[in-house]
Amino acid sequence: MQSETVRVRRVSGAFALIDSLKRHGVKHIFGYPGGANLPIYDEIYQAEATGELQHILVRHEQGAAHAADGYARATGKVGVCLATSGPGATNLVTGLATAILDSVPMVAITGQVPRGAIGTDGFQEIDIFGITLPIVKHSYLVNDARDIPRIVAEAFHIASTGRPGPVLIDIPKDVGIELFDYVPVEPGTIKLPGYRPTVKGNSNQINKALDLIGAAKKPLLYVGGGAIAAGAHGELLELAEHFQIPVTTTLMGKGAFDESHPLALGMLGMHGTAYANFAVSECDLLIALGARFDDRVASLPKQFAVDAKVIHIDIDPAEVGKNRNTDVPIVGDVRQVLIDLLRRSQELGNGIDLNQTQPWRDRIQQWQNEYPLDQPHPQENLSPQEVIVEVARQSPQAYYTTDVGQHQMWAAQFLKNKPRHWISSGGLGTMGFGLPAAVGVKVALPSEPVICISGDGSFQMNMQELGTIAQYSIGVKIVILNNGWLGMVRQWQHLFYDDRYEATNLEVGTPEFVNLAQVYGIKAIKVTQRHALPDAIAQMLAHDGPVLVDVRVTRNEDCYPMVAPGHTNSDMMGLPSPNPGQISPSMVTCSNCGTENPVTHKCCCECGTKLLDMPSTVNLPDVTTLAG
């Protein structure tokens, strides 16, 4: 019997690239064309014609990287961006650095000059492979078109496994044109010798962790972005409730734990809640899940949770013990380790004596009563905090992106997010991230509400992406907290540089954002008065399409609490003075939202409004020493 003849398919490198991307589930690419990547764009043209792929034309390559980043953070899938050689490739650098520091799975594809021109300083030639080595998880320079299917499969595997991160693929123009016999490489078939991330935690270390949890009188869960990446929110909730352990999160960990839960303490660190910072300063056991003890959380690592034993669970062994000594290190996927820890706890039947930790939870509740987040209501202006609270009240389930600065910290303080609904640049602190990231989220999840919270300084970093939003009718909502300053830099100049406000005043030279949006054909609203805010936000959310809301807020509002550099977490600036005096045991109704609050609260526990009408008093425990 004659054997069946296998028909060899001869294709170009560019075809192999796009076909390999489609095989890996890619539906959207964010990019910008140029001479060196035109063969790739010619194949994208064919793929778009059949509806298999959509290319989103950004207005700057940095926007492509941030859009792919937002796409990945919101979905957990690998985001893809595309740029040409030279300046197109270098414009991705900030986005790649943002992604590596926040552990975001991305594949960045760049065009390159033809192989024969590499090293000649040809037009738009740059060594993007070398430039990006410190800010990617892995890099490829493709010298043979036959390698493209394997390289794409490896890139997606590396980007999405272990500690996620960006991978760069640099493709010379002639490699994209070159024809070869194409053999596809399917997802999941790649085996990389030497690359085997540890997923399962060591059982002996898990037993040691359970011993420490059982002995702790003041335990605290400290949760970072690794818990989000691992999808560990269900196991985290089970762990916290099983052992009744309070939970604080980093900026990157927001959403991993329901911040409305009685055990939630919100964010800790430089602009974290007072009660989270007090708790980490006094705990006797700190359980770190996918967190890295960075300087915005632990300004003084040797004095951070100084009296606590530390259990550190992280998939990246390089992070365990790097900044803070660890008593029980466990390398592994956060979710898998928690599954094993909970299973082992059930096998041993060791719960925790709630009487043992009740005084600790009572103490934390006392801090929450005495030091709630403050939402000012100035007589003549809107405060930025009340804008965030109103947006959150009307759209609690939205996906939120932010830029970087004071508005980012206020959003982190007052928004209560679900997993993957908080998308913000943490490690690099990239101004200009929020708008293109929102584009990526909305493209990925077109039926979900997506709101970008920005400042007037950050927004101007990438406001050209309004063109992308207009071209594709991407229905993101943009709220600009406009105070006419580079607000966080101004705050530092105020606090540490004797009010020498150099190069931070943006009053002159900032466009009218409403007019700018309207030029792009985008609906825009300007808000200057408190009474107009609820209706403006309602209009924004009801409109079927993109909307920009420019809210003029108090110019000189500072973001508190604040842990100054070189200070411990318990030594915070901007805390209200504790009131150990005489307060009645009755309730007080918030004049802003109507929530009933214990009179021990200085501000509403729901919206942060100051509670001004306090009844007569009774003695409270003395907490005057808690602020250090």
Side-chain angles (χ1 to χ4, degrees):
M1 183 175 179
Q2 192 173 21
S3 61
E4 183 179 349
T5 302
V6 178
R7 183 179 179 184
V8 176
R9 189 178 188 190
R10 199 158 179 81
V11 304
S12 70
F15 176 92
L17 172 69
I18 298 305
D19 187 70
S20 296
L21 292 177
K22 291 189 296 185
R23 289 175 186 272
H24 282 79
V26 175
K27 301 295 184 185
H28 300 95
I29 298 175
F30 304 90
Y32 204 95
N37 65 7
L38 275 180
I40 298 171
Y41 270 88
D42 197 47
E43 291 297 337
I44 290 175
Y45 177 87
Q46 305 295 334
E48 283 202 298
T50 60
E52 299 171 274
L53 197 68
Q54 184 183 18
H55 176 271
I56 305 296
L57 174 64
V58 297
R59 288 341 190 231
H60 190 284
E61 289 89 353
Q62 183 179 336
H66 293 329
D69 182 312
Y71 189 102
R73 294 193 203 216
T75 64
K77 299 176 182 178
V78 177
V80 179
C81 58
L82 173 60
T84 193
S85 63
T90 58
N91 281 343
L92 295 179
V93 167
T94 298
L96 291 171
T98 301
I100 194 70
L101 285 176
D102 288 352
S103 305
V104 179
M106 281 173 50
V107 169
I109 301 164
T110 51
Q112 183 56 276
V113 297
R115 283 168 290 187
I118 293 176
T120 68
D121 294 334
F123 177 67
Q124 291 192 335
E125 181 202 352
I126 201 72
D127 179 15
I128 196 63
F129 179 94
I131 286 171
T132 58
L133 278 176
I135 55 170
V136 295
K137 197 173 174 186
H138 197 65
S139 299
Y140 295 93
L141 172 60
V142 184
N143 284 307
D144 190 328
R146 291 173 294 184
D147 293 333
I148 287 177
R150 171 185 57 82
I151 285 174
V152 170
E154 288 182 4
F156 273 75
H157 178 63
I158 293 168
S160 60
T161 57
R163 180 177 181 175
V167 176
L168 175 80
I169 305 175
D170 195 29
I171 305 177
K173 185 173 183 178
D174 58 327
V175 171
I177 298 170
E178 186 175 63
L179 298 178
F180 71 103
D181 294 339
Y182 178 44
V183 179
V185 177
E186 298 299 333
T189 61
I190 286 293
K191 303 292 182 186
L192 292 175
Y195 178 71
R196 291 190 178 91
T198 301
V199 174
K200 194 171 180 63
N202 181 279
S203 58
N204 289 332
Q205 295 298 89
I206 288 174
N207 287 337
K208 290 178 182 178
L210 284 170
D211 289 342
L212 286 185
I213 293 172
K217 294 182 179 179
K218 296 187 288 184
L220 182 67
L221 279 158
Y222 156 48
V223 181
I228 299 282
H233 48 280
E235 290 73 22
L236 170 61
L237 176 63
E238 186 177 350
L239 177 71
E241 291 186 338
H242 179 65
F243 291 108
Q244 285 296 291
I245 303 175
V247 180
T248 182
T249 68
T250 66
L251 181 71
M252 292 300 301
K254 273 185 66 66
F257 192 77
D258 180 3
E259 292 183 66
S260 300
H261 195 284
L263 291 169
L265 305 185
M267 184 178 72
L268 83 164
M270 179 172 281
H271 291 286
T273 65
Y275 32 92
N277 282 328
F278 285 144
V280 79
S281 299
E282 292 202 10
C283 68
D284 64 3
L285 175 64
L286 187 66
I287 308 167
L289 305 179
R292 56 190 180 90
F293 296 86
D294 72 284
D295 62 299
R296 281 304 188 262
V297 165
S299 178
L300 298 173
K302 291 183 179 180
Q303 298 180 42
F304 180 75
V306 67
D307 296 322
K309 298 284 187 181
V310 174
I311 300 168
H312 193 174
I313 303 171
D314 202 290
I315 199 163
D316 185 355
E319 290 295 346
V320 179
K322 183 177 80 173
N323 294 327
R324 171 66 161 80
N325 290 334
T326 301
D327 297 279
V328 179
I330 304 177
V331 176
D333 176 82
V334 172
R335 181 171 181 267
Q336 186 58 56
V337 171
L338 292 188
I339 288 172
D340 292 341
L341 187 148
L342 289 163
R343 183 186 298 121
R344 183 60 178 155
S345 176
Q346 290 171 355
E347 290 171 357
L348 296 172
N350 65 334
I352 194 167
D353 180 2
L354 297 185
N355 292 326
Q356 178 176 304
T357 58
Q358 188 63 56
W360 171 238
R361 296 195 301 279
D362 290 343
R363 186 168 177 77
I364 289 174
Q365 181 63 61
Q366 181 177 307
W367 290 328
Q368 289 174 312
N369 292 343
E370 285 297 321
Y371 299 100
L373 291 170
D374 185 18
Q375 183 200 158
H377 279 72
Q379 188 170 2
E380 296 182 357
N381 304 99
L382 274 162
S383 73
Q385 296 96 318
E386 62 185 306
V387 177
I388 298 289
V389 169
E390 181 60 29
V391 174
R393 184 185 71 81
Q394 294 198 37
S395 191
Q397 304 301 317
Y399 285 77
Y400 285 91
T401 71
T402 79
D403 275 292
V404 171
Q406 287 179 316
H407 68 273
Q408 177 191 33
M409 294 297 100
W410 282 314
Q413 289 175 344
F414 288 96
L415 292 176
K416 297 178 180 179
N417 304 93
K418 294 169 64 177
R420 295 197 177 277
H421 284 56
W422 168 260
I423 293 143
S424 188
S425 171
L428 196 63
T430 307
M431 294 175 67
F433 173 82
L435 183 61
V439 168
V441 178
K442 191 65 176 178
V443 167
L445 304 167
S447 62
E448 298 290 339
V450 179
I451 300 174
C452 171
I453 306 291
S454 190
D456 47 310
S458 282
F459 184 74
Q460 292 181 76
M461 289 281 189
N462 270 319
M463 62 186 178
Q464 76 283 339
E465 297 309 323
L466 290 173
T468 303
I469 290 169
Q471 178 176 351
Y472 297 95
S473 299
I474 300 170
V476 300
K477 316 301 183 185
I478 305 157
V479 178
I480 301 174
L481 302 185
N482 190 341
N483 63 5
W485 290 101
L486 296 177
M488 189 61 83
V489 185
R490 183 210 62 79
Q491 178 169 334
W492 280 56
Q493 289 173 333
H494 166 58
L495 294 173
F496 309 121
Y497 295 90
D498 295 328
D499 296 325
R500 293 189 292 274
Y501 299 125
E502 174 62 26
T504 47
N505 191 324
L506 298 180
E507 285 182 294
V508 177
T510 295
E512 277 288 345
F513 294 124
V514 166
N515 294 348
L516 180 69
Q518 289 172 343
V519 167
Y520 281 100
I522 294 171
K523 180 179 175 64
I525 306 168
K526 183 176 179 178
V527 179
T528 60
Q529 300 294 325
R530 180 173 291 111
H531 68 83
L533 179 64
D535 182 62
I537 300 304
Q539 285 187 52
M540 176 189 79
L541 296 172
H543 181 69
D544 184 19
V547 184
L548 181 148
V549 180
D550 177 11
V551 187
R552 302 304 171 93
V553 297
T554 308
R555 291 212 68 217
N556 296 325
E557 183 71 22
D558 288 334
C559 184
Y560 293 118
M562 180 179 180
V563 179
H567 288 250
T568 63
N569 286 58
S570 62
D571 185 12
M572 286 167 278
M573 307 171 67
L575 290 187
S577 298
N579 182 1
Q582 313 292 319
I583 299 182
S584 163
S586 62
M587 304 292 284
V588 175
T589 302
C590 173
S591 61
N592 182 52
C593 70
T595 299
E596 292 290 319
N597 291 265
V599 292
T600 52
H601 288 205
K602 292 188 181 344
C603 301
C604 177
C605 60
E606 180 63 28
C607 71
T609 302
K610 286 184 178 178
L611 301 171
L612 301 177
D613 299 319
M614 297 291 188
S616 58
T617 61
V618 295
N619 285 325
L620 281 180
D622 186 0
V623 293
T624 56
T625 62
L626 298 183

